[in-house]
């Protein structure tokens, strides 16, 4: 099922660059931080991987794990099935490691330029200034520069640190779970990530513990010609509970930058993981120049009975988004949810959605996807609901809504269903709408300006998803949407 | 307060208003009646500034300002309110939030303080009482899933809250049963004041049993062809619009 807009679908948009200019609200995270960095020169071979592993003081098994992923990657090809215009990448031109030169041992030793960067982004790292009840892992280019509230969390038994530290400090946990949800050879980008991943977060919530605060990771790409290969692993033991949020920004650069991430979640019996993303990578300029390629494999496994994994994402940035946070519903009565808002403007392209794989009995999944397209952008929902033979009583509800602003954008829906158990109930609803002239006039005749009317209508459209975000971030998400859609109606 | 002179307007290239002249003083209630296609709704939309309604000649002065040059939101801030014939649904947008945004946008445009949530809710409560509306309406999304009557009542409620100087009711009575009609009329009557004028656009004289106009005008073929007091509406009821057309053409005289 695919629907494209044509001249008749939206008549609201009038090109008026002046209004957009006057309003002038722009991508505010586009600044560059001047610091000394150390890193590897561009290029990729077995030697690069050995060097990367050596810089990170990794044990032998980790180096071997990376090399075997690399050898597998060499046999693979970039996938072509997404509804995206993506030129083949030259993987020899990317630098696979970049890090600030000074290695801080504690927060006091972190380069002030970096602290300042996170302050400007609204994520202060000093614990006294930090958001109440939110612990942050700050990843700058290829390394985690600091993780706040580590001690308080450790007192509760929660492990929250960078993936690099986890490999050194908790090797048995990492070995047990790394690659257990997304195997190194899962897909082209996952294999590349497994070979060269730099940093990301590691979270372990022991049995029966309710994590006392929100955990979050803030990813920042700063260095030029550097790829960021985030690797995050979250394990929630039986009966535990955790809510995790990630945010992402990058400077404005004319070249495209690659962010190829792998995120794995494991929920054991009766455990619950809520994973929220507010993605605001640099989207490129209004002519489609520059921007981050956000290519991500995110997957969670409800390994235990009665476990639950919820993905919530607000995707406003990136030139290209290729991302399908999925849930493997292995445990009986386990629940998977996916709530998504994806906004594209100018020349942005998004191909995003989810996979819900029902294996256990009486498993339930819910998919709520809201796509908003403006400018000349393309926005696709791609989702798979798979019910295995074993999944008696499985239920899925999917709702995909697209909102079009303007005449030149595209919205597409690609829902796939594979149902092998006759007792399963799978529902799918899809709508495509536009902001109508009537809605705009109605708001304006009540005194509301055009830009505010658009924000309000879009916000209403996304309400169902924003409700799922932690409070502070829901406000942030709403603001981001307003900035993203600046000048969509002139 | 409102001075319309020789107004000509087109919609989709077709001339609808063909030299309409009308003056409304503060505190007056004017009823605009006329057959289908006469230009009644066009008049309301032109005054509110709806895109697509092109004024080709004439002027509209509102409190000394040429409002034809203002975008709809500025006309609203200046005190013009149009109760729509077909109120629009805005899914997911809470009715209270919508009203507060609208009221504060207008206040801001006029250089007044914006109301905080507490002050706003207090105002809302007062207006709800006047309008005899349950606050259930406020918790829902703007017009979403509202019945026809609820939508019209919501329009009048918005009017009560925004306190316009000129309220234009575009066939607010259409599609209402007698109870809803009474309720809407009570709301309008409660808002009548020496500072506030009304243009009540209607096809039927029935509404005027509840909202007593000071003047009645008959609009036909884009012009006002007959003006009078309330009795004019009763004559129309009796003789139908065909009479106006004939009357205008000079075929028949004033019926006895």
């Amino acid at each position: 099922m695919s629907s494209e807009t044509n001249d008749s679908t939206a008549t609201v948009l009038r090109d008026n660059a002046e209004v957009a200019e006057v309003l002038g609200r722009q991508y505010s995270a586009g600044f560059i931080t001047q610091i000394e960095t150390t890193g590897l020169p561009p290029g990729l071979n077995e030697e690069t991987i050995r060097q990367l592993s050596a810089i990170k003081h990794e044990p032998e098994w980790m180096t071997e794990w990376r090399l075997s992923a690399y050898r597998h990657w060499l046999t693979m090809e970039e996938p072509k099935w997404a509804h995206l215009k993506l030129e083949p990448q030259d993987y020899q031109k990317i630098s696979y490691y970049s890090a600030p030169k000074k290695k801080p041992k504690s927060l006091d030793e972190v380069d002030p330029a970096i602290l300042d960067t996170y302050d400007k982004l609204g994520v202060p790292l000093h614990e006294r200034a930090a958001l109440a009840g939110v612990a942050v892992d700050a990843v700058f280019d290829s390394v985690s520069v600091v993780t706040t509230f580590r001690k308080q969390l450790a007192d509760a038994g929660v492990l929250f640190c960078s993936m690099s530290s986890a490999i050194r400090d908790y090797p048995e946990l990492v070995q047990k779970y790394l690659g257990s949800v997304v195997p190194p050879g899962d897909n082209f980008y996952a294999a590349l990530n497994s070979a060269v991943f730099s940093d990301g977060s590691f979270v372990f919530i022991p049995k029966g513990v309710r994590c006392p605060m929100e955990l979050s990771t803030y990813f920042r790409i700063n260095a030029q010609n550097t790829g960021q290969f985030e690797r995050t692993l979250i394990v929630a033991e039986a009966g535990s509970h955790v809510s995790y949020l990630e945010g992402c920004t990058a400077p404005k650069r004319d070249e495209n930058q690659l962010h190829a991430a792998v995120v794995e979640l494991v929920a054991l019996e009766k455990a619950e993981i809520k994973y929220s993303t507010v993605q605001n990578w640099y989207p490129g300029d209004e002519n489609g120049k520059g921007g981050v390629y956000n290519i991500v494999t995110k997957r969670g496994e409800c390994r235990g009975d009665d476990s639950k994994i919820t993905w919530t994402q607000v995707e406003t940035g990136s030139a290209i988004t290729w991302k399908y946070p999925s849930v493997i519903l292995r445990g009986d009565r386990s629940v998977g949810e996916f709530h998504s808002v994806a906004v594209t403007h100018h020349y942005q392209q998004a191909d995003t959605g989810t996979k819900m794989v029902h294996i256990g009995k009486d498993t339930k999944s819910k998919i709520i996807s809201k796509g908003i397209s403006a400018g000349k952008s393309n926005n696709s929902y791609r989702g798979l609901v798979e019910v295995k033979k074993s999944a008696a009583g499985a239920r899925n509800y999917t709702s995909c809504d697209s909102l079009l602003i303007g005449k030149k954008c595209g919205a597409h829906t690609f829902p796939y269903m594979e149902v092998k158990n006759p007792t399963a109930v799978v529902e799918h609803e899809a709508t495509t709408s536009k902001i109508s002239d009537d809605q705009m006039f109605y708001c304006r005749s009540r005194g509301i300006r055009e830009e505010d009317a658009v924000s309000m209508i879009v916000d209403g459209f996304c309400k169902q998803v924003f409700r799922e975000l932690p409070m502070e971030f829901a406000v942030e998400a709403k603001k981001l949407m307003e900035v993203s859609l600046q000048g969509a109606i002139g | 307060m409102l001075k319309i002179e020789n107004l000509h307007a087109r919609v989709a290239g077709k001339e609808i208003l063909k030299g309409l002249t009308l003056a409304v003083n503060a505190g007056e209630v004017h009823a605009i009646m006329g057959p289908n296609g006469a230009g009644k709704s066009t008049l309301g939309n032109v005054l509110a500034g709806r895109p697509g309604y092109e004024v080709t000649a004439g002027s509209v002065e509102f409190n000394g300002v040429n409002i034809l040059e203002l975008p709809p939101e500025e006309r609203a801030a200046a005190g013009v309110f149009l109760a729509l014939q077909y109120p629009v649904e805005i899914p997911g947008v809470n009715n209270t939030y919508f009203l507060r945004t609208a009221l504060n946008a207008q206040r801001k445009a006029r250089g007044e303080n914006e109301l905080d949530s507490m002050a706003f809710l207090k105002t809302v409560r007062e207006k709800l009482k006047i309008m005899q509306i349950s606050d259930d309406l406020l918790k829902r999304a703007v017009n979403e899933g509202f019945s026809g009557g609820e939508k019209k009542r919501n329009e009048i409620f918005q009017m009560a809250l925004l306190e316009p100087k000129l309220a234009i009711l575009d066939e607010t009575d259409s599609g209402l049963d007698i109870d809803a009609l009474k309720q809407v009329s009570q709301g309008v009557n409660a808002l009548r004041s020496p500072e506030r004028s009304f243009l009540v656009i209607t096809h039927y004289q029935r509404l005027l049993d509840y909202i007593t106009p000071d003047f009645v005008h008959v609009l036909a073929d884009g012009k006002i062809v007959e003006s009078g007091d309330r009795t004019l509406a009763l004559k129309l009821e009796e003789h139908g619009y065909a009479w106006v057309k004939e009357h205008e053409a000079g075929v028949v005289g004033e019926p006895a």
Side-chain angles (χ1 to χ4, degrees):
Chain A
M1 192 171 11
S2 171
S3 59
E4 294 227 18
T5 55
N6 53 43
D7 282 7
S8 67
T9 50
T11 51
V12 179
L13 183 97
R14 293 192 302 279
D15 287 315
N16 190 340
E18 270 173 47
V19 174
E21 239 184 79
V22 169
L23 282 157
R25 281 187 279 178
Q26 287 175 341
Y27 188 74
S28 62
F31 59 90
I32 295 165
T33 309
Q34 299 297 343
I35 47 155
E36 277 192 277
T37 58
T38 164
L40 291 172
L44 181 58
N45 52 44
E46 293 207 0
E47 193 43 38
T48 334
I49 291 166
R50 283 182 208 283
Q51 281 177 4
L52 176 69
S53 196
I55 295 171
K56 296 163 82 70
H57 306 290
E58 288 177 353
E60 182 63 24
W61 61 266
M62 195 66 248
T63 317
E64 284 308 316
W65 199 83
R66 288 175 179 277
L67 286 170
S68 108
Y70 174 69
R71 288 171 199 137
H72 192 93
W73 177 70
L74 289 175
T75 68
M76 302 172 89
E77 278 180 23
E78 286 175 330
K80 298 273 188 292
W81 43 260
H83 189 81
L84 299 168
K85 270 187 212 144
L86 174 59
E87 297 297 315
Q89 300 290 296
D90 185 344
Y91 295 95
Q92 298 304 331
K93 279 196 176 156
I94 297 172
S95 161
Y96 290 85
Y97 187 78
S98 168
K101 216 166 197 173
K102 293 180 204 153
K103 269 197 198 133
K105 289 217 170 54
S106 73
L107 194 61
D108 300 332
E109 292 174 26
V110 176
D111 189 324
I114 293 177
L115 290 179
D116 189 46
T117 300
Y118 284 92
D119 270 350
K120 271 198 224 169
L121 296 171
V123 192
L125 298 178
H126 277 293
E127 290 181 7
R128 60 176 182 276
L131 283 171
V134 182
V136 180
D137 181 21
V139 178
F140 195 85
D141 290 333
S142 307
V143 294
S144 163
V145 286
V146 70
T147 307
T148 63
F149 295 106
R150 269 185 85 163
K151 197 184 164 307
Q152 286 89 329
L153 289 167
D155 290 345
V158 172
L159 306 180
F160 179 42
C161 62
S162 70
M163 183 58 88
S164 304
S165 333
I167 290 167
R168 291 192 301 268
D169 300 346
Y170 316 109
E172 62 297 337
L173 285 175
V174 174
Q175 260 182 302
K176 184 171 176 190
Y177 291 106
L178 189 73
S180 74
V181 185
V182 180
D186 186 78
N187 66 68
F188 180 86
Y189 300 108
L192 176 64
N193 176 285
S194 300
V196 302
F197 73 83
S198 32
D199 222 336
S201 300
F202 173 78
V203 177
F204 180 82
I205 317 287
K207 204 170 167 179
V209 171
R210 209 181 158 86
C211 186
M213 54 179 89
E214 296 270 347
L215 304 183
S216 74
T217 304
Y218 202 93
F219 292 94
R220 174 76 177 169
I221 300 178
N222 189 60
Q224 207 155 4
N225 302 325
T226 302
Q228 190 176 52
F229 299 91
E230 165 205 356
R231 186 93 197 190
T232 287
L233 172 63
I234 299 178
V235 178
E237 282 201 322
S240 70
H241 179 283
V242 64
S243 169
Y244 175 94
L245 184 124
E246 63 167 349
C248 332
T249 59
K252 289 183 179 179
R253 294 194 188 277
D254 288 345
E255 309 81 34
N256 295 108
Q257 285 176 296
L258 180 64
H259 172 87
V262 172
V263 173
E264 298 176 274
L265 312 181
V266 180
L268 301 182
E269 199 188 338
K270 289 185 180 143
E272 184 176 349
I273 302 175
K274 265 183 85 95
Y275 189 108
S276 314
T277 303
V278 175
Q279 184 264 108
N280 184 28
W281 293 120
Y282 178 52
D285 69 9
E286 62 275 17
N287 300 312
K289 195 162 194 201
V292 170
Y293 291 162
N294 186 39
I295 296 179
V296 177
T297 304
K298 283 188 158 138
R299 196 175 303 155
E301 185 173 318
C302 285
R303 206 165 278 179
D305 293 347
D306 303 294
S307 56
K308 181 176 179 185
I309 290 177
T310 304
W311 297 102
T312 303
Q313 61 172 21
V314 177
E315 305 280 320
T316 63
S318 297
I320 287 179
T321 298
W322 183 100
K323 185 181 166 191
Y324 316 90
S326 307
V327 185
I328 314 282
L329 297 153
R330 193 177 295 281
D332 290 346
R333 296 171 304 281
S334 59
V335 177
E337 291 186 7
F338 173 74
H339 309 267
S340 169
V341 167
V343 187
T344 53
H345 192 193
H346 301 307
Y347 286 88
Q348 281 177 276
Q349 305 177 67
D351 192 298
T352 184
T354 184
K355 276 194 274 187
M356 293 290 174
V357 181
H358 293 256
I359 299 170
K361 287 188 200 64
D362 301 315
T363 45
K364 270 195 249 173
S365 64
K366 182 162 91 175
I367 299 170
I368 307 286
S369 163
K370 306 275 182 182
I372 299 150
S373 333
K376 293 176 178 152
S377 66
N378 260 303
N379 202 327
S380 305
Y381 166 80
R382 184 183 304 278
L384 168 68
V385 176
E386 188 180 353
V387 179
K388 302 275 193 197
K389 221 170 169 181
S390 53
R395 291 189 70 107
N396 161 267
Y397 171 74
T398 301
S399 154
C400 299
D401 299 321
S402 306
L403 184 69
L404 303 161
I405 306 175
K407 299 175 188 175
K408 291 174 182 161
C409 52
H412 319 269
T413 310
F414 304 102
Y416 304 90
M417 278 173 228
E418 287 172 24
V419 181
K420 301 217 173 86
N421 187 300
T423 62
V425 180
V426 176
E427 283 177 84
H428 178 93
E429 289 174 14
T431 67
T432 300
S433 55
K434 62 181 179 102
I435 296 183
S436 72
D437 292 347
D438 288 347
Q439 285 175 325
M440 286 303 292
F441 174 66
Y442 193 56
C443 294
R444 295 179 73 194
S445 75
R446 299 302 180 249
I448 301 166
R449 294 181 316 132
E450 274 184 304
E451 291 279 343
D452 297 332
V454 172
S455 298
M456 181 186 273
I457 295 166
V458 169
D459 184 47
F461 177 75
C462 303
K463 188 124 284 167
Q464 245 181 318
V465 173
F466 286 174
R467 267 205 304 252
E468 297 293 323
L469 288 171
M471 189 64 166
E472 306 83 6
F473 302 110
V475 176
E476 184 62 27
K478 199 181 150 196
K479 273 194 229 150
L480 266 181
M481 302 274 295
E482 283 173 15
V483 174
S484 304
L485 290 172
Q486 272 315 300
I489 286 194
Chain B
M1 169 178 271
L2 178 71
K3 260 171 84 177
I4 305 173
E5 300 255 14
N6 190 33
L7 188 63
H8 290 254
R10 286 199 298 214
V11 182
K14 193 179 171 212
E15 187 164 45
I16 307 285
L17 297 183
K18 303 170 181 172
L20 187 145
T21 297
L22 176 70
V24 178
N25 295 313
E28 292 176 353
V29 176
H30 291 241
I32 309 280
M33 302 185 68
N36 288 330
K40 300 190 301 289
S41 287
T42 300
L43 175 62
N45 283 313
V46 165
L47 293 177
R50 189 175 201 128
Y53 289 75
E54 189 195 349
V55 175
T56 51
S59 66
V60 178
E61 231 179 63
F62 179 62
N63 289 329
V65 178
N66 173 11
I67 56 163
L68 294 180
E69 293 188 346
L70 303 178
E73 54 272 28
E74 287 178 29
R75 297 186 197 194
V80 176
F81 179 89
L82 173 67
L84 270 73
Q85 187 178 358
Y86 305 106
V88 183
E89 298 189 4
I90 309 180
V93 176
N94 175 274
N95 210 9
T96 311
Y97 177 72
F98 176 79
L99 287 170
R100 192 173 141 207
T101 306
L103 181 61
N104 278 337
Q106 290 196 18
R107 292 180 66 97
K108 200 174 162 189
R110 291 195 292 260
E112 298 164 11
N113 287 338
E114 294 180 41
L115 295 183
D116 62 25
S117 314
M118 293 308 285
F120 175 76
L121 276 178
K122 197 167 161 258
T123 313
V124 165
R125 294 248 158 75
E126 286 164 13
K127 304 293 178 186
L128 280 175
K129 218 179 262 172
I130 300 171
M131 301 301 304
Q132 302 177 327
I133 287 178
S134 89
D135 59 359
D136 165 63
L137 219 59
L138 294 170
K139 292 174 192 145
R140 292 156 64 182
V142 181
N143 293 324
E144 199 182 26
F146 283 27
S147 69
E150 283 175 328
K151 283 184 182 172
K152 296 295 174 74
R153 260 185 290 166
N154 195 30
E155 292 291 287
I156 303 303
F157 176 63
Q158 289 183 16
M159 177 171 81
L161 199 74
L162 297 171
E163 301 185 318
K165 296 192 179 96
L166 171 68
I168 306 158
L169 311 184
D170 187 5
E171 304 212 10
T172 299
D173 53 330
S174 69
L176 292 187
D177 62 29
I178 196 72
D179 292 335
L181 184 69
K182 277 185 187 166
Q183 207 176 6
V184 163
S185 305
Q186 273 166 10
V188 171
N189 287 330
L191 295 170
R192 286 179 76 156
S193 88
E195 295 84 41
R196 185 170 295 132
S197 312
F198 288 84
L199 269 188
V200 181
I201 296 170
T202 179
H203 192 74
Y204 300 104
Q205 103 76 36
R206 183 179 72 149
L207 177 67
L208 306 181
D209 288 341
Y210 302 98
I211 303 172
T212 314
D214 299 307
F215 300 94
V216 175
H217 309 277
V218 180
L219 186 60
D221 197 27
K223 277 185 282 210
I224 286 179
V225 294
E226 191 80 39
S227 295
D229 60 13
R230 187 171 148 45
T231 55
L232 178 58
L234 298 170
K235 274 183 208 156
L236 277 176
E237 178 87 347
E238 198 178 327
H239 301 284
Y241 287 116
W243 162 68
V244 178
K245 284 178 188 157
E246 288 160 14
H247 183 61
E248 186 195 6
V251 178
V252 290
E254 181 94 357

